[in-house]
Amino acid sequence: MSMPFYVAPEQQMKDRSDFARKGISRGRAVVVLRYRDGICFVAENRSLALHKISEIYDRIGFAAVGRYNEFEQLRIAGIQQADMRGYAYDRSDVTGRMLANAYAQLLGSSFSNGTEKPFEVELVVAELGDAPAGDQIYRLTYDGSVADEENFAAMGGATELIADVVRRGIDPTAPLADAVRLAVRALGADTSPSGPRTLGPETLEVAVLDRVRPRPRKFRRLTRAQLAEVLNA
Amino acid sequence: MTDDLASSFFGLLSRTAPELLPAHRLSQGVPTGPAEQLSPHGTTIVAATFPHGVVMAGDRRATMGNYIAQRDIQKVYASDEFSLVGIAGAAGLAVEMVRLFRVELEHYEKIEGAPLSLDGKANRLAALIRSNLAMAMQGLAVLPLFAGWDLAGGLGRIFSYDATGGRYEETAFHSVGSGSIFARGSLKKIYRPDLDLHGCATAVVQALVDAADDDSATGGPDLMRKIYPIIMVAGPDGVHQLSDQEMTAITDEVIAGRRERPDGPAAPLV
């Protein structure tokens, strides 16, 4: 009969963290930031079909980095929960906080459950308020911890550098074009030996929760043509 | 693949919370028998296409037997950003079904990242109606009219249904509900395929006024309370509702014409 090796719980958690972090940092980054009329999501993503940014509900958006199949599964679970709740109660009863809590439970229990592989993802759940003061950006990490970010969140590889650029330039009262350009500049500032990169519209996925959109669903994607216009202005 | 309809909200509800389905809630443990008197009835819905879209109009009356249950009910809804649904029949179930249908379309669009085709939407509505068959057998049928802008084909289209979920595409115009016979007769005489939005909206108001003229369950424009029919339009730019000012203008025009000729505009004999 063989005895399993003893692994200290601290070591076990650390190993699992390292594993998840390594997976996440391989991917391209995402920046979520507030602007004058709402919340803007900017991701480095060359694919037009495989999204990192998505609509969850009327005023709730979702962005993720890490393993595609895992965050896709979480995205669908979020949409299901939001739609189910909005149908059973009322559309106004679906909140970002509730979704962030549900995700935190799921990520946390998977992280501490020794028999499962932890999720290699990081998420942002952002909710648009009726007024700018009500805007919320929740950032969730692989272990289920939630941070209520003030004006922006950056996640993925090399986030320190990216967050630094955004922190210095952020202005929640600036128009959309300024916010997009700041995020794109930040995403290009990650560590590459040849210095900062310039990202073009064909390498980006951008969407907004737009407070001035006249329909109840505030989520809107920017097409590549619209994006080119914003970047070249 | 574990589930063929993983993007369907109706499917999700059936699997995880069937007690929330409109028909399920009522069909459990309810004695069978006529139930028409339990819920008010919505009456007449009219839809007509024009070159740049499709309009749908509904009168504002709901009845329970011979009494008027509501004067300002809304029976025409945007089911998503390019389609419309109007309800006739048991109002309680119909409103719930429209709510479910709207979530169904939005759920699919969010999960798949692209909206359903117009035919796909029409088929999903058929499935929802079919699930209500047990209720329809007790007199609580829900008979919607569905219309929308077909982005692929670049035209407005109209679909009607029967209580078993049968789906029928209509050409040019159609009407459902208690006053539909009169509304359809009216549209036959005044509808032309080359009408613009204003013309098409006027034609459907004429049809509703004709329906209200001969069907006691259809409400005409309520001039005293300023309650006018609801008209919604689906076109290449999406769905919108005609404003109160637009509706007032169209209704005033129609009523003024009827003061001269109470039966409405005359069509040429040959």
Side-chain angles (χ1 to χ4, degrees):
Chain A
M1 205 174 109
S2 68
M3 288 283 286
F5 286 111
Y6 173 75
V7 183
E10 294 85 355
Q11 186 62 43
Q12 203 173 13
M13 290 298 124
K14 186 178 175 303
D15 288 349
R16 294 172 75 80
S17 295
D18 288 346
F19 169 80
R21 270 208 204 103
K22 206 184 280 172
I24 292 161
S25 63
R26 268 197 293 270
R28 298 287 188 194
V30 176
V31 173
V32 180
L33 72 171
R34 291 179 53 207
Y35 71 101
R36 191 180 59 200
D37 299 319
I39 299 169
C40 172
F41 302 77
V42 182
E44 190 178 350
N45 183 2
R46 282 162 202 277
S47 170
L48 277 175
L50 305 175
H51 297 302
K52 289 183 172 180
I53 300 168
S54 163
E55 171 186 16
I56 298 276
Y57 212 64
D58 292 353
R59 313 183 74 91
I60 302 174
F62 170 98
V65 292
R67 221 177 240 283
Y68 178 78
N69 69 317
E70 291 180 356
F71 67 69
E72 176 68 5
Q73 179 198 337
L74 291 167
R75 182 185 78 91
I76 289 173
I79 292 171
Q80 288 179 335
Q81 181 162 7
D83 278 346
M84 184 76 93
R85 204 174 155 112
Y87 181 70
Y89 300 109
D90 183 73
R91 296 195 78 87
S92 60
D93 295 312
V94 178
T95 62
R97 192 176 51 84
M98 155 225 137
L99 262 175
N101 274 327
Y103 280 135
Q105 295 296 326
L106 202 63
L107 292 167
S109 62
S110 158
F111 181 74
S112 50
N113 181 344
T115 58
E116 284 176 43
K117 177 189 93 57
F119 280 101
E120 295 167 72
V121 294
E122 237 177 278
L123 314 177
V124 160
V125 173
E127 181 178 26
L128 189 69
D130 290 325
D135 290 352
Q136 298 281 359
I137 299 175
Y138 299 102
R139 178 179 165 184
L140 294 114
T141 46
Y142 54 87
D143 59 354
S145 40
V146 192
D148 188 348
E149 305 283 1
E150 204 171 335
N151 288 325
F152 76 98
M155 48 187 191
T159 38
E160 287 312 310
L161 282 164
I162 293 170
D164 226 40
V165 176
V166 182
R167 194 174 297 118
R168 272 185 271 127
I170 184 106
D171 175 9
T173 60
L176 176 62
D178 289 1
V180 173
R181 283 197 295 266
L182 172 64
V184 172
R185 194 149 46 80
L187 288 174
D190 62 359
T191 47
S192 72
S194 51
R197 300 171 300 145
T198 308
L199 298 170
E202 69 290 346
T203 62
L204 293 165
E205 178 186 1
V206 179
V208 289
L209 285 167
D210 182 356
R211 213 184 323 275
V212 294
R213 188 168 199 260
R215 299 181 187 272
R217 288 166 70 183
K218 303 297 183 191
F219 185 88
R220 169 168 75 86
R221 285 184 192 284
L222 266 63
T223 61
R224 291 209 159 150
Q226 289 169 326
L227 193 53
E229 213 172 287
V230 166
L231 291 179
N232 296 329
Chain B
M1 293 289 135
T2 48
D3 188 348
D4 295 336
L5 280 178
S7 310
S8 166
F9 183 72
F10 181 56
L12 175 72
L13 217 50
S14 309
R15 285 194 305 276
T16 61
E19 70 281 4
L20 292 180
L21 291 173
H24 182 279
R25 202 180 295 179
L26 291 168
S27 61
Q28 300 294 304
V30 176
T32 53
E36 295 96 329
Q37 296 306 319
L38 293 179
S39 174
H41 272 60
T43 46
T44 310
I45 305 289
V46 185
T49 58
F50 65 105
H52 305 290
V54 51
V55 301
M56 188 181 281
D59 72 307
R60 307 295 294 275
R61 183 173 288 179
T63 58
M64 279 180 97
N66 64 345
Y67 103 93
I68 294 168
Q70 200 180 342
R71 294 177 203 287
D72 60 352
I73 191 174
Q74 179 179 357
K75 293 186 276 186
V76 177
Y77 297 88
S79 39
D80 66 3
E81 289 183 9
F82 288 97
S83 66
L84 305 167
V85 60
I87 48 168
L93 279 171
V95 170
E96 188 86 354
M97 195 172 283
V98 166
R99 226 159 65 83
L100 178 57
F101 183 52
R102 292 165 89 172
V103 182
E104 173 81 8
L105 298 186
E106 186 188 318
H107 191 75
Y108 181 95
E109 186 182 331
K110 287 190 294 196
I111 288 192
E112 299 290 328
L116 274 168
S117 64
L118 192 66
D119 285 287
K121 294 175 193 173
N123 286 337
R124 288 314 294 160
L125 185 55
L128 298 190
I129 295 164
R130 197 169 297 123
S131 74
N132 191 53
L133 186 57
M135 289 288 99
M137 300 291 281
Q138 297 188 30
L140 292 174
V142 176
L143 291 176
L145 190 60
F146 178 67
W149 181 253
D150 185 340
L151 285 163
L155 76 166
R157 296 166 68 191
I158 302 171
F159 299 88
S160 71
Y161 296 87
D162 66 30
T164 65
R167 178 204 111 161
Y168 313 95
E169 179 156 8
E170 307 291 346
T171 41
F173 58 84
H174 195 70
S175 176
V176 296
S178 62
S180 61
I181 308 167
F182 308 111
R184 225 182 296 174
S186 173
L187 276 174
K188 263 187 189 172
K189 299 297 171 232
I190 55 175
Y191 174 84
R192 293 195 320 268
D194 62 345
L195 291 171
D196 60 3
L197 170 58
H198 178 80
C200 205
T202 308
V204 292
V205 170
Q206 291 282 16
L208 283 178
V209 170
D210 277 328
D213 207 17
D214 290 317
D215 169 39
S216 60
T218 303
D222 189 337
L223 300 175
M224 285 177 305
R225 297 185 182 82
K226 297 198 166 41
I227 300 170
Y228 301 129
I230 287 180
I231 296 191
M232 298 190 96
V233 189
D237 300 324
V239 164
H240 72 276
Q241 182 174 345
L242 295 196
S243 67
D244 286 352
Q245 292 92 315
E246 289 171 299
M247 282 316 301
T248 309
I250 292 172
T251 313
D252 285 351
E253 217 178 342
V254 168
I255 301 291
R258 300 236 169 191
R259 288 217 176 88
E260 303 296 316
R261 192 172 186 284
D263 290 335
L269 260 186
V270 283

